[in-house]
Amino acid sequence: MQLSFKQQKNTLIVTLTGDLDHHAASNIREKIDNEIQRGSTNNFILDCSKLEFMDSSGIGMIIGRYKKIKSLNGKFYATHLNSQVKRIFNVSGLDRIINTYSDNKAALKNL
Amino acid sequence: MIINKMMLKLPALSINEAFARSVVAAFILPLDPTMQELADVKTAVSEAVTNAIIHGYGDCEGFIFINAQLTRDGIFEIEIEDSGVGISDLPLALSPMYTSAPELERSGMGFTIMEQFMDSLVVDSKPGAGTKVRMVKKLQPRNLH
């Protein structure tokens, strides 16, 4: 799994590429936390446009980052969920705490 | 009628989570499953294999055994078994949001996802005697080769 960072409108946009499972989660978690710590922005968009697969290890990783951003009084959004990822969000109840948008533009508009 | 069977033995390493779900996805491909059926099976397998690695074996070495079969009318059955520590309180382990490893940011949703994504889930486990997860899913037999 790979990830890339972009700053836009006081927001850290993290794009995940590949499969987010237990094997990938700890490395991804560390990289995102370092970037949150380094950055000056409190808002966060998880861009899932290149995320092909996610299981419950991804839920834990996302809730952990969500809590971190909330503690910084920031907003946390997720975008571009494919149908499998959407189903995980739905079954786990993640979609009840995290607002999801079809694209980053729509998410940025709601900050 | 059973049209195919598979057996897989693999070391309990996290790198094998992707390997296991890909192999099982390839196994059901002859039935031409829908994208959702394929994603459901991959997710459920990933959950069971991850449980075996994290909770079954923890920091210890061990093997995971996967047995699966496919019938002509689209019944897919899979067993994922480990010889790890087993589960002492099964009802608690099966309850949504419960995790024995909150420090690892585990969500406690693994069994719930297996239950939701497959048609049936049976977990057989005893402390010290490992865990066996048996799941069944009825696939729509669209194109049998």
Side-chain angles (χ1 to χ4, degrees):
Chain A
M1 149 143 278
Q2 291 179 321
L3 77 172
S4 65
F5 300 108
K6 199 166 84 175
Q7 299 263 357
Q8 200 178 335
K9 223 179 139 186
N10 287 328
T11 304
L12 174 64
I13 301 173
V14 179
T15 305
L16 301 176
T17 304
D19 290 6
L20 178 54
D21 59 8
H22 158 245
H23 181 67
S26 56
N27 181 34
I28 294 297
R29 177 189 310 141
E30 202 182 305
K31 285 183 176 161
I32 293 178
D33 284 355
N34 286 342
E35 197 66 21
I36 292 173
Q37 211 162 14
R38 251 170 21 98
S40 53
T41 56
N42 295 344
N43 299 322
F44 191 103
I45 292 176
L46 188 71
D47 182 337
C48 302
S49 55
K50 294 173 185 164
L51 179 61
E52 286 161 26
F53 173 89
M54 178 179 124
D55 62 18
S56 71
S57 303
I59 301 170
M61 194 285 284
I62 291 173
I63 290 176
R65 309 298 68 71
Y66 168 81
K67 285 181 180 165
K68 197 163 268 232
I69 292 297
K70 281 285 144 188
S71 73
L72 298 169
N73 293 318
K75 288 183 174 166
F76 190 109
Y77 296 144
T79 63
H80 294 285
L81 273 56
N82 73 19
S83 59
Q84 190 262 342
V85 176
K86 212 175 267 179
R87 209 150 128 69
I88 295 281
F89 266 61
N90 181 259
V91 168
S92 66
L94 258 190
D95 58 356
R96 290 196 287 275
I97 59 166
I98 293 171
N99 287 338
T100 61
Y101 294 93
S102 56
D103 56 41
N104 296 349
K105 209 172 149 191
L108 286 166
K109 219 187 266 180
N110 282 283
L111 283 172
Chain B
M1 193 184 88
I2 294 166
I3 55 168
N4 202 6
K5 288 186 177 191
M6 63 160 274
M7 281 168 279
L8 185 66
K9 175 186 176 184
L10 65 176
L13 301 171
S14 66
I15 197 167
N16 281 328
E17 292 155 8
F19 176 65
R21 62 179 179 262
S22 302
V23 167
V24 176
F27 179 71
I28 65 168
L29 270 186
L31 281 188
D32 195 16
T34 62
M35 291 299 282
Q36 179 166 342
E37 287 171 337
L38 206 53
D40 286 357
V41 167
K42 281 176 75 174
T43 311
V45 169
S46 199
E47 297 297 350
V49 170
T50 302
N51 273 355
I53 293 169
I54 297 177
H55 303 291
Y57 292 114
D59 293 329
C60 302
E61 289 181 4
F63 285 95
I64 298 167
F65 302 87
I66 300 179
N67 280 289
Q69 67 175 41
L70 209 50
T71 67
R72 184 165 287 280
D73 50 356
I75 306 289
F76 166 66
E77 296 181 20
I78 185 164
E79 287 179 353
I80 298 174
E81 190 174 359
D82 67 65
S83 315
V85 295
I87 301 169
S88 54
D89 189 339
L90 200 50
L92 181 64
L94 289 170
S95 54
M97 315 287 278
Y98 170 78
T99 177
S100 59
E103 73 287 357
L104 298 177
E105 287 193 343
R106 305 301 307 164
S107 65
M109 292 302 292
F111 281 128
T112 304
I113 286 174
M114 289 181 234
E115 224 166 17
Q116 294 279 324
F117 285 31
M118 302 292 277
D119 292 325
S120 87
L121 165 73
V122 178
V123 184
D124 190 9
S125 186
K126 274 189 194 127
T131 299
K132 187 196 275 188
V133 172
R134 184 172 181 275
M135 298 182 283
V136 179
K137 191 170 180 75
K138 172 93 175 79
L139 308 168
Q140 295 304 317
R142 296 189 304 159
N143 182 19
L144 195 57
H145 299 296

